[in-house]
Amino acid sequence: MHKRTRLRRAYLTVVALSVLIATGNEAGARGEGRAESVVSRAAGEPVMAVVSLHNQRITIYDANGWILRAPVSSGQRGRETPAGIFSIIQKEAEHYSNLYDDASMPHMQRITWSGIALHGGALPGHPASHGCIRMPFDFAERLFDLTRLGLRVIVAPTDVAPVEIAHPALLQSKPGASALAAARIAEAEEAARRTNQARGVAGTAYREFTRAMVPVRVAENLKARAEAQLAAAETALGSAASTEAKQQAEDAKEKVVARVAELAEQSAAAKAEVQPKLDALNAAREAVNAAETTRVKAAEAAREATRALEPISVLISRKTQRLYVRQAFEPVFDTPITVQDPDRPIGTRVFTAVERSGDTNVRWSVVSLRGLAESRGLSFGNGRDVNPTEPNNAKSALDRIFIPQEALDRIPGIVPRSSLIITDEALSTETGKGTDFVVLLSGEPQGGIKFRRRAPANEVSYSRPRDVPVYWRSPSPYGAPFSTW
């Protein structure tokens, strides 16, 4: 009996442990990590996301600090998530992998066309993906609803955070940009209204011309019929054999000639009455053409003025000694610049315009990326960057940059979420159609990039259920359809 009791207790213990293990495995499969959100203040619009590969954590920042935080699972060994600078270039609420057994990737937010993305997934507590950044399912859904295309995503080897910074080299807003955009939009709306009005006048003129043409057509038809009768009468006159028959034919011909002359007068009078209607119609059509030309120009000016309010990205590469500008996923221009001491590293830093502080001023923050090995001398055990002189180092980096005035004049005005990137690296080949700047840290593993083939897209879908046609299209075409997932 004692032996049976001990066996029963052992059996129950094993069952209980099995249940606990199964429950834990199920929770891990669902990716249920502890997400945090700031509760001491109202959260603003996200301006950047920072992923710490060392801490396996993502942190979302607004203009005043972090607002959301959650654990992640990045790429496993050999397929590591590359460290660098990215942005959200596509969002799809329901997505399935074309590479990995049709795996579900809910609330996918793509950061490279070669297949790196943020999405909901299992969190086993360590890097386990094929290069993507998995997040808790609930957190991925919440983040999906908060973000916009173009949001900066910084994937850092260590745990870094934005620090407020001020420096004369940091670009500022151009005065009157918002007022100019509003004025151009108003002009475009007025031009559209005038075009519609001109089309209405042309429509009225066309209807009046059509009504005026009815008597002309009637007179012309009757005249044609009378002329046919006249031809028949002349034929009858020529074939008349007797004097009486000839007289009758001549009388009939005289009547038809008189009828033709009468109808000719009626046709001429009707045409005289319709001529002013025709002139009015032609003038109305010319007015429509002129109004349409003005509308097209005004609409283009409004688009350009509105586009100027989009965030811009400026990248300065020490390696290429060039400055690059992109806006709304499209290149604006690039030009040579000077980096003092070009053989000395300058680091990789992301300066972000977080919010306006007046009509022409914006407030800036900086995030500095360094490799994990480089940071160990400046970090605690959790990998958090604690270098207290970082703002000074960032200012020193800015001091080494010389941008020609003509290049500064060509850079659009700065608005919140604009950025200035200073880096030792060249642009990644991932930078292209439908992307902001992509910069990869060359000293870090890039397994998740190396084996993927970049395939830019023809459209940017936002939230499309699987196997449902895309009805929403981006205004900018971006190459060939997605085919790499």
Side-chain angles (χ1 to χ4, degrees):
M1 290 179 63
H2 288 298
K3 185 176 181 179
R4 266 198 304 270
T5 301
R6 286 197 301 270
L7 289 174
R8 186 180 297 111
R9 288 175 180 172
Y11 173 76
L12 293 175
T13 300
V14 171
V15 170
L17 287 174
S18 300
V19 171
L20 289 174
I21 292 171
T23 303
N25 289 340
E26 182 180 356
R30 286 292 301 166
E32 294 176 358
R34 186 171 64 89
E36 304 174 61
S37 61
V38 64
V39 295
S40 59
R41 62 178 177 85
E45 180 183 10
V47 296
M48 75 177 73
V50 177
V51 177
S52 169
L53 297 176
H54 181 269
N55 285 16
Q56 290 291 282
R57 183 171 67 185
I58 183 172
T59 306
I60 312 301
Y61 293 89
D62 68 1
N64 297 308
W66 75 272
I67 54 175
L68 292 172
R69 183 175 287 154
V72 300
S73 179
S74 60
Q76 59 190 280
R77 184 180 296 275
R79 297 177 181 267
E80 295 89 352
T81 302
I85 303 166
F86 309 89
S87 60
I88 295 174
I89 57 178
Q90 184 204 20
K91 298 177 65 170
E92 197 167 78
E94 186 177 346
H95 185 80
Y96 295 82
S97 172
N98 291 331
L99 288 179
Y100 304 114
D101 300 323
D102 206 34
S104 176
M105 303 168 65
H107 300 102
M108 184 274 292
Q109 303 192 64
R110 187 190 296 268
I111 60 175
T112 73
W113 290 129
S114 60
I116 307 296
L118 310 170
H119 64 83
L123 302 184
H126 55 82
S129 77
H130 289 85
C132 286
I133 299 165
R134 300 178 189 169
M135 304 176 291
F137 289 98
D138 293 344
F139 182 87
E141 181 178 7
R142 182 179 181 185
L143 184 63
F144 187 92
D145 293 335
L146 289 178
T147 60
R148 288 195 284 171
L149 294 181
L151 178 73
R152 180 72 65 207
V153 178
I154 300 172
V155 180
T158 61
D159 189 16
V160 297
V163 178
E164 189 163 349
I165 187 173
H167 191 277
L170 292 172
L171 305 169
Q172 297 296 328
S173 297
K174 292 186 176 180
S178 298
L180 177 62
R184 292 290 182 267
I185 291 172
E187 291 172 1
E189 291 175 349
E190 176 63 18
R193 187 189 66 81
R194 290 180 178 177
T195 300
N196 291 334
Q197 185 179 29
R199 286 172 177 164
V201 171
T204 301
Y206 177 75
R207 288 190 293 272
E208 291 179 355
F209 169 75
T210 302
R211 285 194 293 267
M213 281 295 297
V214 172
V216 175
R217 293 193 182 95
V218 170
E220 288 293 320
N221 290 336
L222 292 176
K223 180 184 174 184
R225 191 179 304 168
E227 288 173 346
Q229 292 174 352
L230 176 60
E234 289 177 347
T235 300
L237 180 61
S239 61
S242 63
T243 303
E244 182 179 359
K246 288 182 179 181
Q247 185 62 44
Q248 290 178 351
E250 287 178 356
D251 293 342
K253 178 182 177 181
E254 289 178 0
K255 292 180 180 179
V256 174
V257 168
R259 180 60 175 164
V260 169
E262 178 185 358
L263 291 174
E265 291 179 0
Q266 292 180 7
S267 176
K271 288 180 179 179
E273 290 183 3
V274 84
Q275 187 60 45
K277 308 294 185 182
L278 179 59
D279 294 340
L281 176 59
N282 291 333
R285 286 175 172 171
E286 290 177 1
V288 169
N289 292 335
E292 178 64 16
T293 300
T294 301
R295 185 197 68 79
V296 170
K297 291 181 179 179
E300 180 61 26
R303 279 192 294 270
E304 288 297 322
T306 302
R307 186 172 181 268
L309 299 180
E310 290 289 324
I312 69 165
S313 295
V314 179
L315 184 140
I316 296 173
S317 169
R318 181 181 67 88
K319 186 172 184 178
T320 63
Q321 294 280 302
R322 295 189 73 84
L323 174 147
Y324 308 84
V325 180
R326 293 178 78 87
Q327 187 174 38
F329 293 167
E330 294 182 1
V332 178
F333 73 94
D334 64 278
T335 186
I337 51 90
T338 301
V339 178
Q340 296 177 0
D341 299 330
D343 295 330
R344 180 163 60 93
I346 199 170
T348 295
R349 293 175 171 84
V350 183
F351 301 85
T352 304
V354 293
E355 67 178 357
R356 294 186 184 275
S357 59
D359 183 41
T360 59
N361 295 327
V362 292
R363 189 162 61 86
W364 288 85
S365 70
V366 59
V367 173
S368 297
L369 285 80
R370 54 172 60 89
L372 184 59
E374 179 187 357
S375 298
R376 280 173 179 163
L378 302 171
S379 304
F380 292 122
N382 64 355
R384 178 179 291 277
D385 185 351
V386 293
N387 183 3
T389 64
E390 182 47 47
N392 292 330
N393 292 340
K395 291 178 181 178
S396 298
L398 290 170
D399 289 338
R400 293 173 57 188
I401 306 297
F402 174 74
I403 305 174
Q405 186 60 46
E406 55 268 25
L408 290 172
D409 294 339
R410 293 180 63 188
I411 297 176
I414 298 298
V415 299
R417 296 197 303 127
S418 296
S419 61
L420 168 64
I421 302 170
I422 297 177
T423 180
D424 293 314
E425 313 287 351
L427 283 177
S428 168
T429 56
E430 290 287 335
T431 302
K433 290 184 177 181
T435 77
D436 204 325
F437 293 120
V438 179
V439 177
L440 303 181
L441 298 188
S442 56
E444 297 297 316
Q446 300 177 26
I449 284 286
K450 286 183 178 179
F451 73 94
R452 296 175 183 267
R453 180 175 59 85
R454 186 182 189 278
N458 193 22
E459 66 260 353
V460 177
S461 61
Y462 182 75
S463 179
R464 176 171 60 90
R466 188 184 184 198
D467 298 330
V468 175
V470 178
Y471 295 108
W472 182 89
R473 290 289 189 272
S474 167
S476 300
Y478 295 144
F482 305 132
S483 61
T484 59
W485 285 47

